[in-house]
Amino acid sequence: GLAARLNSADAGSRCGTPGYIAPEILKRSTSAYDGRVDVFSLGATIYFCLMGKGLFTGRQKSLVLQNNRACRVHTEVDAVGGHARR
């Protein structure tokens, strides 16, 4: 992965920026993660670059993490400005 070598002792640990972490990491899965978690984070980053806001919203870090864990994305688009709304 991007954050840790897959063969390192840290592989499979939970780390990352709220809103960009693959939901399976936040669900405390006991299985090892693979490159798909990096693809999810890349997609969340690209979404932010295109839309100007993250996939997961919340006024507090804990709410962002709840939405991230449940994969509740906010994709409503404002017809006038083209920006995602809360």
Side-chain angles (χ1 to χ4, degrees):
L2 297 174
R5 292 182 184 265
L6 290 178
N7 60 356
S8 75
D10 293 332
S13 64
R14 289 185 315 274
C15 61
T17 303
Y20 297 86
I21 307 167
E24 57 266 35
I25 293 175
L26 295 173
K27 291 179 181 174
R28 303 176 190 260
S29 173
T30 56
S31 61
Y33 313 123
D34 59 20
R36 291 177 286 185
V37 297
D38 293 329
V39 173
F40 182 91
S41 296
L42 177 62
T45 301
I46 291 170
Y47 182 88
F48 178 83
C49 291
L50 293 174
M51 301 302 290
K53 69 181 299 170
L55 273 173
F56 308 104
T57 59
R59 293 181 189 257
Q60 299 171 340
K61 178 180 164 183
S62 61
L63 294 175
V64 174
L65 285 170
Q66 277 181 351
N67 289 330
N68 193 165
R69 183 179 302 110
C71 206
R72 284 189 297 263
V73 296
H74 299 276
T75 57
E76 236 178 272
V77 176
D78 179 0
V80 176
H83 298 291
R85 289 186 272 165
R86 282 189 178 206

